[in-house]
């Protein structure tokens, strides 16, 4: 919802109602691709699961135009995602993994290499997908990612991707305190690196 008259609660209720209506009409698995801009994303994920979503895809990148300063107009170009964009998805996958019942979680932003695939799996993704990498490097990059993933798993004694799925999911309790502690640790690490 982009209109200023629509409240967050109304937008969220509309989204949940839409998922419920679709669930009532289809028998096939229903996955919902979400953007991260809900005020209480964890609760929204649970509402969608309760409304009948079989899977959630984190995250959809909203179209964001730019301004062309030469032409003085809107610039409608496609900006592909990059590896630096995975952190929000990692956070929410690690928070939601194992907490929404049978709902499958998919990661879909910032996958540039096998490193991002591995990180998303460790956080709790059931599946990882990419569009930007094949557009940028060609479809052969997918085989390169899979080969690297297989090698990485073998080198660490894992037999398959499901062995690492959710290995680094977040504990069930104390999310707010943990996030505050993580922030303090990040600041201390940065400060120590600056002094070195």
């Amino acid at each position: 919802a982009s209109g200023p008259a629509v409240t967050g609660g109304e937008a969220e209720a509309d989204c949940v109602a839409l998922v419920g209506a679709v669930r009532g009409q289809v028998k096939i698995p229903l996955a919902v691709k979400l953007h991260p801009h809900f005020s209480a994303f964890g609760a929204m994920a649970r509402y969608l699961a309760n409304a009948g979503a079989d899977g959630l895809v984190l995250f959809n990148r909203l179209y964001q135009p730019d301004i062309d300063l030469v032409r003085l107009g809107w610039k409608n170009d496609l900006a592909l995602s990059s590896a630096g964009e995975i952190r929000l998805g990692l956070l929410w996958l690690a928070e939601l993994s194992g907490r929404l019942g049978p709902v499958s979680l998919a990661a879909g932003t910032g996958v540039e290499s096998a490193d991002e695939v591995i990180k998303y799996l460790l956080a709790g993704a059931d599946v990882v997908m990419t569009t930007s990498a094949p557009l940028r490097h060609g479809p052969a990059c997918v085989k390169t990612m899979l080969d690297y993933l297989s090698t990485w798993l073998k080198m660490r004694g894992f037999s398959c991707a499901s062995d690492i799925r959710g290995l680094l999911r977040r504990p069930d309790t104390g999310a707010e305190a943990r996030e505050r502690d993580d922030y303090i640790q990040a600041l201390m690490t940065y400060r120590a690196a600056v002094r070195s």
Side-chain angles (χ1 to χ4, degrees):
S2 56
V6 180
T7 68
E10 291 169 336
E12 291 175 5
D14 286 349
C15 186
V16 172
L18 177 60
V19 169
V22 172
R23 174 76 291 153
Q25 295 297 313
V26 300
K27 301 295 181 215
I28 61 173
L30 173 61
V32 181
K33 192 168 188 179
L34 298 166
H35 63 74
H37 306 293
F38 292 104
S39 61
F41 187 81
M44 186 62 180
R46 186 170 307 284
Y47 296 149
L48 294 171
N50 292 341
D54 297 298
L56 301 177
V57 182
L58 314 183
F59 284 112
N60 188 26
R61 293 173 70 235
L62 298 178
Y63 173 69
Q64 299 173 14
D66 196 0
I67 291 179
D68 184 327
L69 295 176
V70 174
R71 292 185 315 105
L72 293 181
W74 286 104
K75 183 176 173 182
N76 299 315
D77 59 347
L78 178 63
L80 299 176
S81 69
S82 64
E85 297 177 58
I86 72 166
R87 290 183 179 215
L88 190 59
L90 287 175
L91 170 70
W92 279 109
L93 283 162
E95 291 292 342
L96 297 175
S97 177
R99 294 183 177 92
L100 297 175
V103 172
S104 179
L105 297 174
T109 298
V111 179
E112 183 66 21
S113 70
D115 287 350
E116 292 78 44
V117 173
I118 294 165
K119 289 176 182 182
Y120 274 138
L121 290 170
L122 286 166
D126 294 299
V127 65
V128 180
M129 56 189 119
T130 182
T131 301
S132 295
L135 285 175
R136 193 177 281 126
H137 306 293
C141 76
V142 175
K143 182 178 181 332
T144 302
M145 286 183 200
L146 292 173
D147 290 345
Y148 183 92
L149 171 62
S150 179
T151 301
W152 188 93
L153 290 167
K154 286 177 187 167
M155 287 176 56
R156 283 154 185 81
F158 298 110
S159 61
C160 61
S162 44
D163 289 347
I164 66 167
R165 187 170 291 120
L167 203 57
L168 298 179
R169 77 173 48 123
R170 307 293 278 202
D172 285 344
T173 58
E176 288 80 14
R178 187 178 57 250
E179 288 172 11
R180 188 172 44 255
D181 289 343
D182 288 349
Y183 178 68
I184 291 169
Q185 288 299 317
L187 289 175
M188 298 303 288
T189 303
Y190 179 81
R191 189 172 164 193
V194 170
R195 286 182 181 164
S196 300

